[in-house]
Amino acid sequence: MPGEDAGAVTLRPYRDADLPDLLDIAIAAWEPIRASFRAILGPDLFAVAFPDWRGEKRRQIASACRGEHGARVLVAELHGRPVGFASYYLDHHTGIGQIGNNAVHPGHQGSGIGTRMYKRVLADMRQAGMRCVKVTTGGDDSHAPARRAYQKVGFGCPIPSVTYFREL
Ligand SMILES: CC(C)(COP(=O)(O)OP(=O)(O)OC[C@H]1O[C@@H](n2cnc3c(N)ncnc32)[C@H](O)[C@@H]1OP(=O)(O)O)[C@@H](O)C(=O)NCCC(=O)NCCS
């Protein structure tokens, strides 16, 4: 039952065996986001601006899972299988934490797993001495769940930004 997912979920650090599942979760979760971008840009501009987005997303997740740039990865596990993950970074020099790529498998979204992951990440950051945390997300409709989920765990003070495109 989707509504029961969050309570049954275990949160734990990433293990090497998780990688294939995390890559699958990421691609499934980003399909609607890239479909939104494609609708905004049109197919031709989208093909130029986001070539091989699945490969690029997989490379980003794999890099975080290798701990590159100090990345930590939290995994949400349900019945022995990962259903979500959150990558994050701690800057001990500035005291600023940052949430990176994160997702919950579409089949398990909307049941509180993202909220639980973010709360754990924020707790870890506080324990590590971070003084603030930032996250960047999209302003289009496909990012409405992410914006809501971040707001739900207390993120605010948004600095608006916009990315423009044009063909050359
Ligand atoms: C963002 C994401 C990780 C949230 O995970 P989740 O497990 O679905 O989050 P939760 O179940 O804790 O829901 C958090 C809030 O978002 C809301 N939400 C879910 N889908 C929504 C939608 N389509 N529109 C608006 N709000 C939505 C939930 O209702 C909940 O708020 P509520 O408790 O006030 O109702 C998940 O939606 C996802 O993987 N999205 C695609 C990838 C992505 O955007 N990652 C972040 C990139 S910056």
Side-chain angles (χ1 to χ4, degrees):
M1 291 281 288
E4 296 171 356
D5 282 356
V9 153
T10 303
L11 300 177
R12 59 163 176 79
Y14 168 80
R15 299 176 195 139
D16 286 342
D18 295 327
L19 184 61
D21 283 333
L22 301 203
L23 298 180
D24 288 349
I25 290 165
I27 298 307
W30 258 273
E31 290 286 355
I33 293 172
R34 291 298 179 255
S36 168
F37 285 12
R38 192 173 190 275
I40 291 167
L41 297 180
D44 295 343
L45 190 50
F46 177 81
V48 177
F50 292 91
D52 187 29
W53 70 262
R54 294 178 186 83
E56 177 60 22
K57 187 56 71 182
R58 287 190 187 101
R59 284 188 286 277
Q60 290 173 8
I61 309 296
S63 165
C65 289
R66 286 193 296 272
E68 290 176 4
H69 308 293
R72 298 184 184 192
V73 179
L74 179 75
V75 171
E77 182 182 286
L78 181 67
H79 308 312
R81 286 290 293 274
V83 291
F85 69 93
S87 63
Y88 58 107
Y89 301 81
L90 311 180
D91 186 328
H92 293 283
H93 181 66
T94 61
I96 302 171
Q98 181 159 8
I99 296 182
N101 277 310
N102 67 86
V104 170
H105 192 283
H108 297 279
Q109 288 177 7
S111 61
I113 297 171
T115 301
R116 274 198 62 199
M117 290 199 304
Y118 299 151
K119 284 181 177 171
R120 176 66 64 86
V121 166
L122 301 190
D124 195 22
M125 287 183 178
R126 269 191 210 98
Q127 196 172 22
M130 296 300 104
R131 298 169 61 221
C132 82
V133 52
K134 63 181 178 180
V135 64
T136 299
T137 191
D140 65 311
D141 288 350
S142 70
H143 284 97
R147 292 194 299 273
R148 173 65 196 134
Y150 294 138
Q151 289 163 11
K152 202 176 161 189
V153 295
F155 281 94
C157 317
I159 296 177
S161 176
V162 62
T163 304
Y164 288 112
F165 290 85
R166 65 154 290 174
E167 288 176 22
L168 296 175

